[in-house]
Amino acid sequence: MTDTSVLLEEAEIKETTRAKAHIIKNDAEAIEVAKRIAAEIAKEAAVRDAERRLPRAELDLFSQSGLWGITVPREYGGAFVSNATLAEVIAIIAEADPSIGQIPQNHLYMVEGIRLDGSEFQKKFFFDLVLQGVRFGNAFSEIGTKSVNDVQTRLKPTDGGYLLSGKKFYSSGALLADWVPVVAKNEHDETVVAFVKKGAKGLTIIDDWSSFGQRTTASGTTILEEIFVPADYVLPHHLAFDRPTTMGPIAQIIQAAVDTGIARAALRDTIHFVRNHTRPWIDTDLEHGYEDPLTIRDIGDTQIRVHATDALLKRAGEFIDAAQQNPDEETVAAASIAVAEAKALSTETALHAGSKLFELAGTRSTLAQFNLDRHWRNARTHTLHDPVRWKYYAVGNYALNNVKPPRHPWI
């Protein structure tokens, strides 16, 4: 550890005025806490979406619950829950509010990155912060480049560390984060992650996210102007993909879990609306809309799709668990494919449920007072994160030709 990092650790150890987070001990507690927190988060989810009101209090409740620290390894004080549990926790929260469910995605991604390739200092320092309730945002993606992995943000050596410069977009969670991990290229053109503390000189985060869905993910533009970053705050992120690791599957299963939560919410609200508001069609002599056999059939179809999505999500988590215990070319490829299957089905199910809601509930369900279109808007926006057509290709190529998927965060 450098002298600079010692000074920064002493000066910055008090990261937030929030009380320290609860520390969750096991998988069962994680699920129980997620259900309790989701009940609170759900109360004004539709209003927050309608007003595009950032979930400041709700996010504090979420992170202080200890759920943001459940993947910290046991030897550093965390529960290191199974990935099936991790996915279910995110799905539970996303069913309540998918914007809030998405916000910790990159935080949890970086916890895995530190576990895999962090120095001993980085593991002790950052895992301790995570267990205290400190939140990582992200400044990963850029716009206007050739592809998503064409990174123009640069980290240049200077006395005692590096200078970081660039511009990012899609910075989910950054507005309400304590630290902002930034993907950049170093002087060797290697992909690294620089951890920047909120408030650092040269860091500007702009609240300019204007998407019609996932409206309150605290995202936007991040501007990085000659920010000093100590060497000990730079993670060699390329190492996670230079060898077979669970870095990519971890990233993707969280995305699949968000979509699963959206699908559950859309089906839940469809059933509620049909039970309480929908009228029977004129060509029947039924008393209630929920007695319509065609409606009953379509509800059954959607329910089966949601249950199938739940099952594939859990299965994907189990494959990641196996790969974490024994990471090699075969186990990591199998985990990536299992997650791709879950991501493909969760995409289709979320979009189906969000659209089917209106067909079954009827015209009244489109009224602004219900804001039920948020389910489809959220599904359509979030599922664009990674093109599902490439999931089908990866699964098919693996099954038919035994071709392993590429190692990167988008598969």
Side-chain angles (χ1 to χ4, degrees):
M1 183 170 61
T2 65
D3 291 341
T4 302
S5 292
V6 171
L7 292 173
L8 283 170
E9 180 179 5
E10 292 173 350
E12 300 174 353
I13 193 67
K14 187 175 181 182
E15 295 298 318
T16 174
T17 58
R18 300 188 301 271
K20 286 188 178 182
H22 171 68
I23 296 180
I24 289 172
K25 300 299 184 183
N26 54 52
D27 291 58
E29 184 185 5
I31 297 296
E32 184 278 323
V33 171
K35 290 178 178 178
R36 174 167 49 83
I37 296 302
E40 294 300 316
I41 287 173
K43 289 179 179 177
E44 294 191 352
V47 177
R48 286 193 299 273
D49 173 87
E51 298 177 352
R52 198 187 173 275
R53 190 177 77 209
L54 294 182
R56 299 177 187 276
E58 293 79 10
L59 203 60
D60 284 348
L61 177 68
F62 186 14
S63 61
Q64 294 310 105
S65 73
L67 290 170
W68 288 48
I70 57 176
T71 58
V72 170
R74 294 185 182 93
E75 58 267 34
Y76 294 94
F80 197 60
V81 300
S82 73
N83 287 284
T85 293
L86 170 63
E88 181 60 17
V89 164
I90 296 300
I92 289 168
I93 299 297
E95 180 180 354
D97 186 329
S99 286
I100 295 178
Q102 182 184 346
I103 290 174
Q105 194 267 338
N106 293 297
H107 169 100
L108 294 162
Y109 178 79
M110 289 318 310
V111 170
E112 178 70 356
I114 294 166
R115 184 187 76 83
L116 289 169
D117 294 308
S119 66
E120 190 59 25
F121 163 73
Q122 290 170 337
K123 290 178 180 179
K124 289 180 178 178
F125 181 61
F126 287 115
F127 286 158
D128 180 62
L129 294 181
V130 169
L131 291 175
Q132 290 181 40
V134 167
R135 299 192 292 256
F136 301 148
N138 90 93
F140 291 175
S141 297
E142 301 173 7
I143 55 175
T145 55
K146 181 179 179 180
S147 67
V148 69
N149 63 351
D150 181 14
V151 176
Q152 298 300 309
T153 300
R154 295 291 159 176
L155 197 67
K156 298 180 180 179
T158 191
D159 290 342
Y162 297 89
L163 292 177
L164 177 67
S165 296
K167 186 176 181 179
K168 301 287 187 174
F169 196 57
Y170 307 116
S171 303
S172 301
L175 284 163
L176 301 179
D178 304 301
W179 288 71
V180 182
V182 180
V183 170
K185 291 292 185 73
N186 65 11
E187 70 273 29
H188 306 297
D189 204 38
E190 298 167 328
T191 300
V192 298
V193 173
F195 284 78
V196 177
K197 190 176 184 297
K198 180 67 75 66
K201 182 179 179 182
L203 174 65
T204 303
I205 304 171
I206 303 171
D207 183 8
D208 60 354
W209 180 240
S210 61
S211 172
F212 63 64
Q214 294 298 93
R215 300 181 67 199
T216 59
T217 54
S219 187
T221 297
T222 300
I223 299 173
L224 313 148
E225 299 174 294
E226 297 287 293
I227 300 173
F228 175 74
V229 180
D232 279 339
Y233 289 0
V234 178
L235 180 74
H237 193 46
H238 60 95
L239 297 179
F241 302 101
D242 290 345
R243 68 191 193 283
T245 73
T246 52
M247 197 76 230
I250 289 288
Q252 286 296 303
I253 197 171
I254 297 170
Q255 305 286 15
V258 172
D259 298 333
T260 300
I262 295 172
R264 292 178 187 177
L267 175 59
R268 177 202 65 211
D269 285 356
T270 302
I271 292 172
H272 180 270
F273 203 96
V274 170
R275 287 288 307 177
N276 290 278
H277 301 294
T278 303
R279 297 180 295 184
W281 183 235
I282 58 174
D283 291 332
T284 72
D285 58 359
L286 300 174
E287 186 70 23
H288 304 287
Y290 56 76
E291 297 173 313
D292 184 330
L294 301 182
T295 296
I296 292 171
R297 182 267 174 203
D298 282 355
I299 291 288
D301 174 64
T302 304
Q303 178 75 85
I304 291 167
R305 293 175 191 236
V306 170
H307 283 169
T309 300
D310 291 342
L312 279 189
L313 187 69
K314 182 176 184 292
R315 175 179 178 270
E318 292 167 351
F319 269 77
I320 298 176
D321 290 339
Q324 284 182 329
Q325 293 168 13
N326 180 32
D328 60 29
E329 293 283 356
E330 298 301 326
T331 60
V332 169
S336 293
I337 292 300
V339 174
E341 292 180 21
K343 185 66 169 65
L345 189 58
S346 64
T347 292
E348 303 290 0
T349 303
L351 291 170
H352 170 86
S355 178
K356 204 72 175 178
L357 186 160
F358 300 103
E359 178 185 338
L360 300 180
T363 306
R364 186 181 176 190
S365 64
T366 68
L367 297 181
Q369 70 189 78
F370 300 113
N371 195 23
L372 292 173
D373 62 301
R374 72 185 188 280
H375 298 308
W376 184 88
R377 289 188 287 103
N378 289 332
R380 183 65 283 175
T381 299
H382 188 260
T383 56
L384 296 176
H385 188 279
D386 309 286
V388 72
R389 59 190 179 275
W390 281 94
K391 309 298 183 187
Y392 287 106
Y393 173 80
V395 172
N397 211 17
Y398 183 77
L400 182 63
N401 301 315
N402 197 30
V403 175
K404 296 178 177 63
R407 293 198 297 259
H408 58 58
W410 303 283
I411 188 62

